[in-house]
């Protein structure tokens, strides 16, 4: 289902992890149906809503960034530019297949002296290779081990397709990072991540290895989504609903989610870091939680 609308709330929100700020959304909703995705939470259906007032959205970003101190103090999001995540409520690669608003946004950031775009994706849109972002848009390919991805990343592009696209987008002028999200803990999870890291190490161009970083986000889930998934994707729930090792957490937006128990999670984070340093030490972890 596709809906056209006008975004009324043109507010840039603080982020501090994947970006400095979260841009007003270009769209809301997604073609994928990932079992853990927060965009689906509290919705019985998740149509794609494309916002038609792209110019107003980008003007709001411009006004926001002009209020920031300049030059920017370098941080883990970027050493020079203020970074804006343009895909927190949708998958930008999908949006770009059905609208020109993503190309318009990439052009805006390409020419902006202070602002920089970023988004995570689980899709490969070859049309975006022609956008010529000139290093001012960061694409973060989300990666999970294949046997898990095929269960929880419903209706998204395969791991193999995402890995194969990394160098193409680098050569097309994107700042390419990867996103290990969500990290799901199960018997044999570290062995699966070792295989994934080895695959990544094999495919990434040597020059890209000099600049690629990653972000790592361990799974969060919630009761409402768990109950919905039991009727549509019970196999996924066997992996992502694990009360014996999870605890409740109140999100920054007020929702009640579940996450891995903090002591266990701290240990698993340490294991993940150790494995990353062993297999892909060139892929610096920008943040992990």
């Amino acid at each position: 289902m596709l809906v056209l609308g006008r975004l009324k709330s043109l507010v840039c929100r603080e982020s501090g992890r994947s970006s400095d700020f979260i841009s007003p959304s270009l769209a809301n909703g997604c073609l994928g149906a990932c079992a853990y995705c927060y965009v689906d939470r509290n919705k019985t259906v998740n149509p794609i809503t494309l916002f038609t007032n792209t110019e107003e959205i980008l003007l709001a970003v411009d006004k926001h960034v002009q209020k920031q101190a300049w030059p920017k103090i370098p941080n883990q999001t970027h050493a020079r530019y203020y970074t804006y995540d343009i895909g927190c409520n949708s998958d930008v690669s999908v949006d770009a297949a059905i609208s020109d608003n993503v190309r318009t946004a990439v052009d805006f950031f390409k020419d902006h002296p202070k602002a920089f775009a970023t988004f995570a994706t689980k899709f490969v849109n070859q049309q975006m290779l022609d956008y010529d972002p000139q290093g001012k848009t960061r694409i973060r390919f989300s990666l999970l081990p294949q046997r898990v991805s095929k269960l929880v990343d419903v209706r998204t592009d395969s791991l193999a397709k995402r890995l194969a696209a990394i160098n193409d987008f680098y050569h097309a002028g994107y700042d390419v990072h990867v996103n290990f999200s969500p990290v799901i803990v199960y018997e044999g999870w570290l062995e699966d991540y070792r295989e994934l890291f080895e695959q990544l190490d094999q495919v990434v161009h040597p020059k890209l290895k000099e600049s690629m970083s990653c972000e790592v986000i361990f799974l969060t889930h919630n009761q409402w989504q768990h109950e919905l998934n039991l009727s549509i994707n019970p196999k996924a729930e066997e992996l992502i609903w694990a009360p014996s090792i999870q605890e409740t957490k109140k999100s920054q937006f007020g929702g009640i989610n579940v996450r891995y128990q903090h002591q266990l999670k701290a240990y698993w984070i340490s294991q993940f870091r150790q494995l990353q340093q062993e297999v892909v030490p060139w892929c610096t972890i920008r943040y992990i939680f």
Side-chain angles (χ1 to χ4, degrees), residues 192-289:
D192 286 350
Y193 271 95
R194 177 180 293 275
E195 180 181 0
L196 175 56
F197 289 167
E198 290 172 348
Q199 292 172 314
L200 185 68
D201 189 52
Q202 291 170 5
V203 302
V204 175
H205 191 280
K207 289 297 292 183
L208 176 54
K209 286 183 179 181
E210 296 176 7
S211 61
M212 177 182 280
S213 297
C214 68
E215 54 198 55
V216 186
I217 306 171
F218 277 70
L219 173 74
T220 63
H221 198 18
N222 77 5
Q223 178 75 36
W224 184 92
Q225 196 169 21
H226 164 64
E227 293 173 358
L228 178 63
N229 285 348
L230 286 176
S231 63
I232 59 175
N233 192 357
K235 286 290 186 181
E237 287 306 297
E238 293 176 11
L239 281 176
I240 64 179
W241 186 257
S244 64
I245 57 174
Q246 291 171 329
E247 62 187 8
T248 58
K249 171 198 175 186
K250 188 172 184 179
S251 77
Q252 60 179 314
F253 304 112
I256 303 298
N257 299 328
V258 294
R259 63 180 177 185
Y260 294 121
Q261 294 170 10
H262 68 281
Q263 291 178 321
L264 291 173
K265 184 176 175 181
Y267 173 64
W268 292 328
I269 285 175
S270 176
Q271 288 185 301
F272 191 99
R273 284 186 180 275
Q274 183 177 346
L275 183 63
Q276 174 266 331
Q277 281 297 303
E278 179 184 344
V279 185
V280 285
W282 49 266
C283 192
T284 305
I285 296 176
R286 290 176 47 229
Y287 67 91
I288 182 170
F289 72 95

Side-chain angles (χ1 to χ4, degrees), residues 16-30:
R17 286 176 172 158
S18 62
S19 62
D20 294 308
F21 304 102
I22 298 171
S23 164
S25 299
L26 299 171
N28 185 288
C30 184

Side-chain angles (χ1 to χ4, degrees), residues 100-165:
D100 290 333
N101 63 356
V102 175
R103 181 187 283 272
T104 300
V106 170
D107 287 343
F108 165 83
F109 285 98
K110 174 172 59 180
D111 296 331
H112 203 287
K114 299 180 180 180
F116 179 98
T118 180
F119 65 92
T121 184
K122 290 183 170 65
F123 292 87
V124 176
N125 183 344
Q126 298 287 338
Q127 296 173 332
M128 298 179 69
L129 295 173
D130 297 330
Y131 283 13
D132 187 30
Q134 298 182 18
K136 290 294 300 298
T137 292
R138 174 180 296 154
I139 183 169
R140 296 155 16 233
F141 284 103
S142 294
L143 307 176
L144 284 81
Q146 176 57 30
R147 72 166 173 152
V148 174
S149 182
K150 67 182 182 180
L151 286 176
V152 300
D153 283 351
V154 184
R155 295 202 303 263
T156 65
D157 284 336
S158 68
L159 171 65
K161 188 172 182 179
R162 296 180 218 173
L163 287 171

Side-chain angles (χ1 to χ4, degrees), residues 57-124:
I57 292 169
L58 297 175
L59 179 60
V61 171
D62 180 62
K63 289 180 177 179
H64 184 270
V65 74
Q66 298 298 355
K67 295 177 182 178
Q68 309 307 313
W70 190 258
K72 174 191 171 179
I73 298 174
N75 61 8
Q76 61 87 14
T77 70
H78 201 280
R80 179 178 179 183
Y81 300 111
Y82 286 102
T83 57
Y84 288 79
D85 198 316
I86 61 173
C88 275
N89 292 313
S90 65
D91 193 300
V92 168
S93 298
V94 175
D95 303 339
I98 53 180
S99 168
D100 290 333
N101 63 356
V102 175
R103 181 187 283 272
T104 300
V106 170
D107 287 343
F108 165 83
F109 285 98
K110 174 172 59 180
D111 296 331
H112 203 287
K114 299 180 180 180
F116 179 98
T118 180
F119 65 92
T121 184
K122 290 183 170 65
F123 292 87
V124 176

